Amino acid sequence: MKELKTRLYEQVARIGKAISSPKRLELVELLCQGEKTVETLAAQADISVKLASAHLKELRLARLVDARKEGKYVFYRLADTSVADLWVTLRSEAEERLVELQMALASITDHADELQGVDRGDILHRAAAGEVVVLDVRPQEEFASAHLPHARSLPVDELKKRLAELPKNVPVVAYCRGPFCLMAKDAVELLRKKGYQAFHLTDGVAEWRARGLPVVE
């Protein structure tokens, strides 16, 4: 019986081992945005394809991701939305308990630009009524995979040349992949410099879903 109990804990520990690498956590966060090729994941995580493949293999062995092959490309996706929930829970717990993480986040985020304490349901209602513009600044393929209701896709690298598409008399709420993603922060800085009333929503699709809010897929 003692050996059986040890094996039970060992199996659970496989999940902990799989997500013990910072880069593997980053890959999980990227896959929260939708299915991606190994090459895309490597580029977005700023690592080699070989290293990305090795990390993805570990995640797959722990049944956290699945893969499929299409021609010469291998596509990876999360095994289930519960894996995204696991990432959000783990990151949130770390933010709550680790002062070092709190300080790191404070150093890169201007809290005056964030929507802190704002009811997410209210954002939905105001967006539906046209009272705010919800701006998804991730790559368009991530938007196509899943996005917040009433959101408009405008990738951050296209924002400067497409500013005319945004009304200046309506507040803009920008979001990207979550609290660790800086694309929305950059978008808010640009919009404010151009005279827009802009705010940073630190939630991404995974955080939004984890709150029990609807997501368009």
Side-chain angles (χ1 to χ4, degrees):
M1 186 62 69
K2 184 177 180 180
E3 290 181 0
L4 173 59
K5 189 174 181 179
T6 298
R7 287 201 298 272
L8 294 175
Y9 283 112
E10 285 175 347
Q11 290 306 306
V12 176
R14 290 174 61 191
I15 302 297
K17 180 181 178 181
I19 59 176
S20 64
S21 159
K23 276 300 175 185
R24 287 201 284 273
L25 286 175
E26 186 175 356
L27 291 171
V28 168
E29 182 184 50
L30 288 168
L31 288 171
C32 286
Q33 317 310 314
E35 186 180 63
K36 297 174 185 286
T37 65
V38 178
E39 289 77 10
T40 296
L41 288 165
Q44 292 180 344
D46 195 24
I47 55 178
S48 68
V49 171
K50 183 178 180 180
L51 184 54
S53 296
H55 282 313
L56 290 164
K57 181 181 179 181
E58 291 298 317
L59 291 170
R60 192 177 184 186
L61 286 172
R63 309 291 193 271
L64 295 175
V65 303
D66 290 327
R68 68 178 180 86
K69 192 168 184 180
E70 185 175 307
K72 64 178 182 178
Y73 295 103
V74 178
F75 290 79
Y76 278 86
R77 63 187 180 279
L78 296 183
D80 191 85
T81 55
S82 61
V83 180
D85 293 341
L86 173 63
W87 157 244
V88 172
T89 300
L90 180 63
R91 195 211 66 243
S92 298
E93 191 70 14
E95 287 182 43
E96 180 71 23
R97 299 189 177 278
L98 301 178
V99 174
E100 296 88 347
L101 178 55
Q102 295 167 7
M103 292 175 64
L105 285 170
S107 71
I108 62 174
T109 304
D110 182 354
H111 293 291
D113 291 343
E114 290 184 14
L115 292 175
Q116 293 184 311
V118 175
D119 181 78
R120 268 48 177 175
D122 183 57
I123 295 176
L124 277 179
H125 291 308
R126 294 181 64 190
E131 296 174 359
V132 301
V133 173
V134 177
L135 204 61
D136 187 322
V137 299
R138 299 173 299 159
Q140 202 282 326
E141 59 270 18
E142 294 183 8
F143 176 86
S145 178
H147 57 268
L148 273 55
H150 314 295
R152 178 185 301 187
S153 177
L154 187 49
V156 67
D157 58 357
E158 300 177 18
L159 182 58
K160 193 170 184 178
K161 63 182 179 182
R162 294 175 57 186
L163 279 175
E165 298 177 21
L166 299 175
K168 270 201 170 181
N169 60 337
V170 178
V172 177
V173 175
Y175 76 93
C176 49
R177 294 170 179 154
F180 292 0
C181 177
L182 300 182
M183 290 186 289
K185 176 181 178 294
D186 293 342
V188 167
E189 288 179 356
L190 173 61
L191 288 166
R192 288 193 166 197
K193 287 178 181 178
K194 297 297 182 179
Y196 288 84
Q197 186 181 2
F199 302 94
H200 178 195
L201 177 64
T202 56
D203 286 354
V205 168
E207 289 76 18
W208 196 263
R209 186 187 282 118
R211 292 177 184 270
L213 295 165
V215 171
V216 178
E217 296 182 296

PDB file of all heavy atoms in Angstrom, residues 121-147:
ATOM      1  N   GLY A 121     -18.097  42.375 -16.319  1.00  0.00           N
ATOM      2  CA  GLY A 121     -19.418  42.331 -16.939  1.00  0.00           C
ATOM      3  C   GLY A 121     -19.852  43.695 -17.434  1.00  0.00           C
ATOM      4  O   GLY A 121     -20.501  43.817 -18.482  1.00  0.00           O
ATOM      5  N   ASP A 122     -19.469  44.743 -16.708  1.00  0.00           N
ATOM      6  CA  ASP A 122     -19.797  46.109 -17.118  1.00  0.00           C
ATOM      7  C   ASP A 122     -19.082  46.473 -18.415  1.00  0.00           C
ATOM      8  O   ASP A 122     -19.648  47.145 -19.272  1.00  0.00           O
ATOM      9  CB  ASP A 122     -19.404  47.093 -16.013  1.00  0.00           C
ATOM     10  CG  ASP A 122     -19.788  48.521 -16.353  1.00  0.00           C
ATOM     11  OD1 ASP A 122     -20.982  48.771 -16.608  1.00  0.00           O
ATOM     12  OD2 ASP A 122     -18.891  49.387 -16.385  1.00  0.00           O
ATOM     13  N   ILE A 123     -17.837  45.990 -18.552  1.00  0.00           N
ATOM     14  CA  ILE A 123     -17.106  46.225 -19.807  1.00  0.00           C
ATOM     15  C   ILE A 123     -17.858  45.594 -20.971  1.00  0.00           C
ATOM     16  O   ILE A 123     -17.997  46.187 -22.051  1.00  0.00           O
ATOM     17  CB  ILE A 123     -15.677  45.659 -19.718  1.00  0.00           C
ATOM     18  CG1 ILE A 123     -14.868  46.421 -18.668  1.00  0.00           C
ATOM     19  CG2 ILE A 123     -14.978  45.729 -21.081  1.00  0.00           C
ATOM     20  CD1 ILE A 123     -13.481  45.865 -18.438  1.00  0.00           C
ATOM     21  N   LEU A 124     -18.362  44.365 -20.752  1.00  0.00           N
ATOM     22  CA  LEU A 124     -19.129  43.679 -21.795  1.00  0.00           C
ATOM     23  C   LEU A 124     -20.360  44.482 -22.205  1.00  0.00           C
ATOM     24  O   LEU A 124     -20.627  44.671 -23.399  1.00  0.00           O
ATOM     25  CB  LEU A 124     -19.573  42.294 -21.303  1.00  0.00           C
ATOM     26  CG  LEU A 124     -18.587  41.137 -21.392  1.00  0.00           C
ATOM     27  CD1 LEU A 124     -19.226  39.871 -20.838  1.00  0.00           C
ATOM     28  CD2 LEU A 124     -18.146  40.914 -22.827  1.00  0.00           C
ATOM     29  N   HIS A 125     -21.112  44.947 -21.214  1.00  0.00           N
ATOM     30  CA  HIS A 125     -22.341  45.699 -21.505  1.00  0.00           C
ATOM     31  C   HIS A 125     -22.031  47.000 -22.240  1.00  0.00           C
ATOM     32  O   HIS A 125     -22.725  47.367 -23.195  1.00  0.00           O
ATOM     33  CB  HIS A 125     -23.098  45.992 -20.207  1.00  0.00           C
ATOM     34  CG  HIS A 125     -23.684  44.774 -19.558  1.00  0.00           C
ATOM     35  ND1 HIS A 125     -24.475  43.874 -20.235  1.00  0.00           N
ATOM     36  CD2 HIS A 125     -23.580  44.301 -18.281  1.00  0.00           C
ATOM     37  CE1 HIS A 125     -24.853  42.899 -19.416  1.00  0.00           C
ATOM     38  NE2 HIS A 125     -24.314  43.128 -18.225  1.00  0.00           N
ATOM     39  N   ARG A 126     -20.989  47.684 -21.807  1.00  0.00           N
ATOM     40  CA  ARG A 126     -20.635  48.953 -22.437  1.00  0.00           C
ATOM     41  C   ARG A 126     -20.116  48.735 -23.856  1.00  0.00           C
ATOM     42  O   ARG A 126     -20.374  49.543 -24.748  1.00  0.00           O
ATOM     43  CB  ARG A 126     -19.607  49.687 -21.585  1.00  0.00           C
ATOM     44  CG  ARG A 126     -20.144  50.138 -20.230  1.00  0.00           C
ATOM     45  CD  ARG A 126     -19.094  50.873 -19.427  1.00  0.00           C
ATOM     46  NE  ARG A 126     -18.703  52.113 -20.082  1.00  0.00           N
ATOM     47  CZ  ARG A 126     -17.677  52.862 -19.696  1.00  0.00           C
ATOM     48  NH1 ARG A 126     -16.923  52.468 -18.674  1.00  0.00           N
ATOM     49  NH2 ARG A 126     -17.387  53.982 -20.335  1.00  0.00           N
ATOM     50  N   ALA A 127     -19.374  47.627 -24.054  1.00  0.00           N
ATOM     51  CA  ALA A 127     -18.879  47.313 -25.400  1.00  0.00           C
ATOM     52  C   ALA A 127     -20.032  46.980 -26.337  1.00  0.00           C
ATOM     53  O   ALA A 127     -20.057  47.406 -27.502  1.00  0.00           O
ATOM     54  CB  ALA A 127     -17.901  46.152 -25.339  1.00  0.00           C
ATOM     55  N   ALA A 128     -21.015  46.231 -25.831  1.00  0.00           N
ATOM     56  CA  ALA A 128     -22.183  45.875 -26.637  1.00  0.00           C
ATOM     57  C   ALA A 128     -22.985  47.108 -27.029  1.00  0.00           C
ATOM     58  O   ALA A 128     -23.575  47.168 -28.113  1.00  0.00           O
ATOM     59  CB  ALA A 128     -23.066  44.893 -25.871  1.00  0.00           C
ATOM     60  N   ALA A 129     -22.981  48.097 -26.144  1.00  0.00           N
ATOM     61  CA  ALA A 129     -23.732  49.331 -26.402  1.00  0.00           C
ATOM     62  C   ALA A 129     -22.934  50.341 -27.213  1.00  0.00           C
ATOM     63  O   ALA A 129     -23.427  51.432 -27.523  1.00  0.00           O
ATOM     64  CB  ALA A 129     -24.166  49.952 -25.071  1.00  0.00           C
ATOM     65  N   GLY A 130     -21.674  50.007 -27.533  1.00  0.00           N
ATOM     66  CA  GLY A 130     -20.840  50.926 -28.294  1.00  0.00           C
ATOM     67  C   GLY A 130     -20.260  52.045 -27.462  1.00  0.00           C
ATOM     68  O   GLY A 130     -19.770  53.046 -28.000  1.00  0.00           O
ATOM     69  N   GLU A 131     -20.286  51.889 -26.139  1.00  0.00           N
ATOM     70  CA  GLU A 131     -19.786  52.937 -25.254  1.00  0.00           C
ATOM     71  C   GLU A 131     -18.287  52.828 -25.012  1.00  0.00           C
ATOM     72  O   GLU A 131     -17.667  53.776 -24.523  1.00  0.00           O
ATOM     73  CB  GLU A 131     -20.526  52.874 -23.909  1.00  0.00           C
ATOM     74  CG  GLU A 131     -22.020  53.165 -24.053  1.00  0.00           C
ATOM     75  CD  GLU A 131     -22.765  52.953 -22.752  1.00  0.00           C
ATOM     76  OE1 GLU A 131     -22.128  52.559 -21.748  1.00  0.00           O
ATOM     77  OE2 GLU A 131     -23.993  53.181 -22.725  1.00  0.00           O
ATOM     78  N   VAL A 132     -17.692  51.676 -25.327  1.00  0.00           N
ATOM     79  CA  VAL A 132     -16.241  51.496 -25.295  1.00  0.00           C
ATOM     80  C   VAL A 132     -15.852  50.616 -26.480  1.00  0.00           C
ATOM     81  O   VAL A 132     -16.667  49.838 -26.980  1.00  0.00           O
ATOM     82  CB  VAL A 132     -15.723  50.844 -23.981  1.00  0.00           C
ATOM     83  CG1 VAL A 132     -16.082  51.673 -22.780  1.00  0.00           C
ATOM     84  CG2 VAL A 132     -16.247  49.425 -23.855  1.00  0.00           C
ATOM     85  N   VAL A 133     -14.625  50.766 -26.918  1.00  0.00           N
ATOM     86  CA  VAL A 133     -14.066  49.890 -27.940  1.00  0.00           C
ATOM     87  C   VAL A 133     -13.105  48.923 -27.253  1.00  0.00           C
ATOM     88  O   VAL A 133     -12.153  49.350 -26.598  1.00  0.00           O
ATOM     89  CB  VAL A 133     -13.309  50.685 -29.028  1.00  0.00           C
ATOM     90  CG1 VAL A 133     -12.600  49.726 -29.989  1.00  0.00           C
ATOM     91  CG2 VAL A 133     -14.263  51.592 -29.788  1.00  0.00           C
ATOM     92  N   VAL A 134     -13.382  47.630 -27.360  1.00  0.00           N
ATOM     93  CA  VAL A 134     -12.483  46.611 -26.820  1.00  0.00           C
ATOM     94  C   VAL A 134     -11.538  46.192 -27.938  1.00  0.00           C
ATOM     95  O   VAL A 134     -11.977  45.699 -28.982  1.00  0.00           O
ATOM     96  CB  VAL A 134     -13.261  45.400 -26.279  1.00  0.00           C
ATOM     97  CG1 VAL A 134     -12.295  44.325 -25.789  1.00  0.00           C
ATOM     98  CG2 VAL A 134     -14.182  45.833 -25.139  1.00  0.00           C
ATOM     99  N   LEU A 135     -10.254  46.416 -27.726  1.00  0.00           N
ATOM    100  CA  LEU A 135      -9.257  46.228 -28.774  1.00  0.00           C
ATOM    101  C   LEU A 135      -8.352  45.042 -28.458  1.00  0.00           C
ATOM    102  O   LEU A 135      -7.670  45.020 -27.431  1.00  0.00           O
ATOM    103  CB  LEU A 135      -8.426  47.497 -28.909  1.00  0.00           C
ATOM    104  CG  LEU A 135      -7.735  47.771 -30.244  1.00  0.00           C
ATOM    105  CD1 LEU A 135      -8.765  47.896 -31.352  1.00  0.00           C
ATOM    106  CD2 LEU A 135      -6.897  49.026 -30.148  1.00  0.00           C
ATOM    107  N   ASP A 136      -8.359  44.063 -29.324  1.00  0.00           N
ATOM    108  CA  ASP A 136      -7.475  42.897 -29.206  1.00  0.00           C
ATOM    109  C   ASP A 136      -6.238  43.177 -30.052  1.00  0.00           C
ATOM    110  O   ASP A 136      -6.313  43.242 -31.276  1.00  0.00           O
ATOM    111  CB  ASP A 136      -8.201  41.649 -29.712  1.00  0.00           C
ATOM    112  CG  ASP A 136      -7.426  40.355 -29.479  1.00  0.00           C
ATOM    113  OD1 ASP A 136      -6.183  40.359 -29.624  1.00  0.00           O
ATOM    114  OD2 ASP A 136      -8.055  39.328 -29.182  1.00  0.00           O
ATOM    115  N   VAL A 137      -5.087  43.353 -29.403  1.00  0.00           N
ATOM    116  CA  VAL A 137      -3.878  43.749 -30.125  1.00  0.00           C
ATOM    117  C   VAL A 137      -2.930  42.581 -30.374  1.00  0.00           C
ATOM    118  O   VAL A 137      -1.787  42.778 -30.765  1.00  0.00           O
ATOM    119  CB  VAL A 137      -3.144  44.895 -29.388  1.00  0.00           C
ATOM    120  CG1 VAL A 137      -4.042  46.121 -29.295  1.00  0.00           C
ATOM    121  CG2 VAL A 137      -2.677  44.464 -28.004  1.00  0.00           C
ATOM    122  N   ARG A 138      -3.406  41.353 -30.176  1.00  0.00           N
ATOM    123  CA  ARG A 138      -2.608  40.170 -30.494  1.00  0.00           C
ATOM    124  C   ARG A 138      -2.568  39.953 -32.006  1.00  0.00           C
ATOM    125  O   ARG A 138      -3.344  40.570 -32.756  1.00  0.00           O
ATOM    126  CB  ARG A 138      -3.215  38.934 -29.824  1.00  0.00           C
ATOM    127  CG  ARG A 138      -3.291  38.980 -28.312  1.00  0.00           C
ATOM    128  CD  ARG A 138      -4.069  37.772 -27.789  1.00  0.00           C
ATOM    129  NE  ARG A 138      -5.427  37.755 -28.300  1.00  0.00           N
ATOM    130  CZ  ARG A 138      -6.202  36.677 -28.360  1.00  0.00           C
ATOM    131  NH1 ARG A 138      -5.743  35.502 -27.929  1.00  0.00           N
ATOM    132  NH2 ARG A 138      -7.434  36.752 -28.831  1.00  0.00           N
ATOM    133  N   PRO A 139      -1.723  39.054 -32.495  1.00  0.00           N
ATOM    134  CA  PRO A 139      -1.750  38.697 -33.915  1.00  0.00           C
ATOM    135  C   PRO A 139      -3.148  38.233 -34.327  1.00  0.00           C
ATOM    136  O   PRO A 139      -3.876  37.639 -33.523  1.00  0.00           O
ATOM    137  CB  PRO A 139      -0.730  37.560 -34.013  1.00  0.00           C
ATOM    138  CG  PRO A 139       0.220  37.815 -32.888  1.00  0.00           C
ATOM    139  CD  PRO A 139      -0.620  38.367 -31.776  1.00  0.00           C
ATOM    140  N   GLN A 140      -3.505  38.479 -35.579  1.00  0.00           N
ATOM    141  CA  GLN A 140      -4.870  38.217 -36.029  1.00  0.00           C
ATOM    142  C   GLN A 140      -5.264  36.744 -35.895  1.00  0.00           C
ATOM    143  O   GLN A 140      -6.422  36.433 -35.583  1.00  0.00           O
ATOM    144  CB  GLN A 140      -5.018  38.658 -37.498  1.00  0.00           C
ATOM    145  CG  GLN A 140      -6.444  38.931 -37.938  1.00  0.00           C
ATOM    146  CD  GLN A 140      -7.234  37.671 -38.222  1.00  0.00           C
ATOM    147  OE1 GLN A 140      -6.662  36.680 -38.693  1.00  0.00           O
ATOM    148  NE2 GLN A 140      -8.530  37.698 -37.958  1.00  0.00           N
ATOM    149  N   GLU A 141      -4.303  35.824 -36.084  1.00  0.00           N
ATOM    150  CA  GLU A 141      -4.644  34.409 -35.981  1.00  0.00           C
ATOM    151  C   GLU A 141      -5.025  34.017 -34.557  1.00  0.00           C
ATOM    152  O   GLU A 141      -5.833  33.095 -34.345  1.00  0.00           O
ATOM    153  CB  GLU A 141      -3.491  33.530 -36.487  1.00  0.00           C
ATOM    154  CG  GLU A 141      -2.171  33.700 -35.765  1.00  0.00           C
ATOM    155  CD  GLU A 141      -1.288  34.763 -36.396  1.00  0.00           C
ATOM    156  OE1 GLU A 141      -1.814  35.599 -37.166  1.00  0.00           O
ATOM    157  OE2 GLU A 141      -0.067  34.735 -36.121  1.00  0.00           O
ATOM    158  N   GLU A 142      -4.484  34.717 -33.572  1.00  0.00           N
ATOM    159  CA  GLU A 142      -4.862  34.449 -32.182  1.00  0.00           C
ATOM    160  C   GLU A 142      -6.269  34.968 -31.915  1.00  0.00           C
ATOM    161  O   GLU A 142      -7.060  34.330 -31.219  1.00  0.00           O
ATOM    162  CB  GLU A 142      -3.852  35.080 -31.227  1.00  0.00           C
ATOM    163  CG  GLU A 142      -2.469  34.453 -31.311  1.00  0.00           C
ATOM    164  CD  GLU A 142      -1.483  35.038 -30.307  1.00  0.00           C
ATOM    165  OE1 GLU A 142      -1.905  35.826 -29.427  1.00  0.00           O
ATOM    166  OE2 GLU A 142      -0.290  34.701 -30.405  1.00  0.00           O
ATOM    167  N   PHE A 143      -6.575  36.121 -32.481  1.00  0.00           N
ATOM    168  CA  PHE A 143      -7.933  36.662 -32.380  1.00  0.00           C
ATOM    169  C   PHE A 143      -8.929  35.697 -33.002  1.00  0.00           C
ATOM    170  O   PHE A 143     -10.008  35.454 -32.452  1.00  0.00           O
ATOM    171  CB  PHE A 143      -7.999  38.018 -33.083  1.00  0.00           C
ATOM    172  CG  PHE A 143      -9.385  38.622 -33.129  1.00  0.00           C
ATOM    173  CD1 PHE A 143      -9.853  39.389 -32.077  1.00  0.00           C
ATOM    174  CD2 PHE A 143     -10.198  38.427 -34.228  1.00  0.00           C
ATOM    175  CE1 PHE A 143     -11.136  39.948 -32.117  1.00  0.00           C
ATOM    176  CE2 PHE A 143     -11.472  38.980 -34.280  1.00  0.00           C
ATOM    177  CZ  PHE A 143     -11.942  39.742 -33.220  1.00  0.00           C
ATOM    178  N   ALA A 144      -8.571  35.126 -34.155  1.00  0.00           N
ATOM    179  CA  ALA A 144      -9.473  34.215 -34.856  1.00  0.00           C
ATOM    180  C   ALA A 144      -9.716  32.947 -34.047  1.00  0.00           C
ATOM    181  O   ALA A 144     -10.789  32.343 -34.127  1.00  0.00           O
ATOM    182  CB  ALA A 144      -8.896  33.865 -36.228  1.00  0.00           C
ATOM    183  N   SER A 145      -8.740  32.539 -33.263  1.00  0.00           N
ATOM    184  CA  SER A 145      -8.884  31.333 -32.449  1.00  0.00           C
ATOM    185  C   SER A 145      -9.873  31.546 -31.304  1.00  0.00           C
ATOM    186  O   SER A 145     -10.737  30.707 -31.048  1.00  0.00           O
ATOM    187  CB  SER A 145      -7.523  30.914 -31.881  1.00  0.00           C
ATOM    188  OG  SER A 145      -7.651  29.780 -31.050  1.00  0.00           O
ATOM    189  N   ALA A 146      -9.760  32.667 -30.621  1.00  0.00           N
ATOM    190  CA  ALA A 146     -10.674  33.007 -29.524  1.00  0.00           C
ATOM    191  C   ALA A 146     -10.439  34.453 -29.114  1.00  0.00           C
ATOM    192  O   ALA A 146      -9.297  34.911 -29.111  1.00  0.00           O
ATOM    193  CB  ALA A 146     -10.464  32.082 -28.324  1.00  0.00           C
ATOM    194  N   HIS A 147     -11.507  35.142 -28.774  1.00  0.00           N
ATOM    195  CA  HIS A 147     -11.367  36.529 -28.345  1.00  0.00           C
ATOM    196  C   HIS A 147     -12.518  36.928 -27.433  1.00  0.00           C
ATOM    197  O   HIS A 147     -13.503  36.191 -27.293  1.00  0.00           O
ATOM    198  CB  HIS A 147     -11.294  37.482 -29.547  1.00  0.00           C
ATOM    199  CG  HIS A 147     -12.482  37.389 -30.468  1.00  0.00           C
ATOM    200  ND1 HIS A 147     -12.510  36.550 -31.553  1.00  0.00           N
ATOM    201  CD2 HIS A 147     -13.681  38.033 -30.461  1.00  0.00           C
ATOM    202  CE1 HIS A 147     -13.675  36.672 -32.189  1.00  0.00           C
ATOM    203  NE2 HIS A 147     -14.403  37.561 -31.545  1.00  0.00           N
TER     204      HIS A 147
END
